[in-house]
Amino acid sequence: QVRLVESGGGLVQAGGSLRLSCAASGRTFSNNAMGWFRQAPGKEREFVAAIGWNDGTIYYDDSVKGRFAVSRDNAKNTVYLQINSLKPEDTAVYYCAADRSRWARSTPGSYDYWGQGTQVTVSS
């Protein structure tokens, strides 16, 4: 059974940092792009960041550029999202996902596997 399990979320004050992790099991995703998305209450799920299979392509949504950093450790089958300078508007459930291709993309429909999400709450 393929599983993606996110961790590292929590309650943090504005300006703080968190490091989210997404551990995959059931198969290796070393040849797949991985992505992070988030969904705030009452809003649609939105793209945050994605990283290609060999780190060659990395994309960020404009709203997080310069504050968020995505990385991966294929030996651990894990992808990370370092989030800095948090703002209240970053409050959301953060999901990781595995793309069916090698290349980083921003469209949710490109992703076949999804985690259950981890809550990030930023207080002002």
Side-chain angles (χ1 to χ4, degrees):
Q1 182 181 3
V2 176
R3 293 186 66 198
L4 300 177
V5 179
E6 302 94 336
S7 62
L11 174 63
V12 64
Q13 289 187 333
S17 299
L18 286 171
R19 189 191 195 205
L20 308 184
S21 299
C22 172
S25 61
R27 58 161 283 187
T28 179
F29 288 101
S30 59
N31 290 321
N32 296 79
M34 301 293 291
W36 286 94
F37 294 77
R38 66 185 180 185
Q39 188 167 18
K43 295 187 177 180
E44 293 186 355
R45 190 169 299 188
E46 64 179 10
F47 170 74
V48 174
I51 183 168
W53 69 286
N54 64 350
D55 299 2
T57 55
I58 295 178
Y59 292 126
Y60 297 100
D61 183 77
D62 287 345
S63 64
V64 306
K65 278 182 181 177
R67 299 189 299 122
F68 289 17
V70 61
S71 61
R72 64 189 299 163
D73 184 337
N74 287 337
K76 295 182 178 179
N77 219 17
T78 298
V79 64
Y80 304 96
L81 185 68
Q82 178 69 40
I83 47 180
N84 302 319
S85 303
L86 279 159
K87 305 175 181 180
E89 52 264 42
D90 293 319
T91 295
V93 177
Y94 284 70
Y95 299 89
C96 74
D99 196 320
R100 67 180 68 93
S101 83
R102 293 185 170 191
W103 316 114
R105 297 183 287 185
S106 62
T107 51
S110 304
Y111 293 78
D112 285 340
Y113 298 100
W114 292 82
Q116 83 291 345
T118 186
Q119 176 71 47
V120 172
T121 303
V122 185
S123 63
S124 58

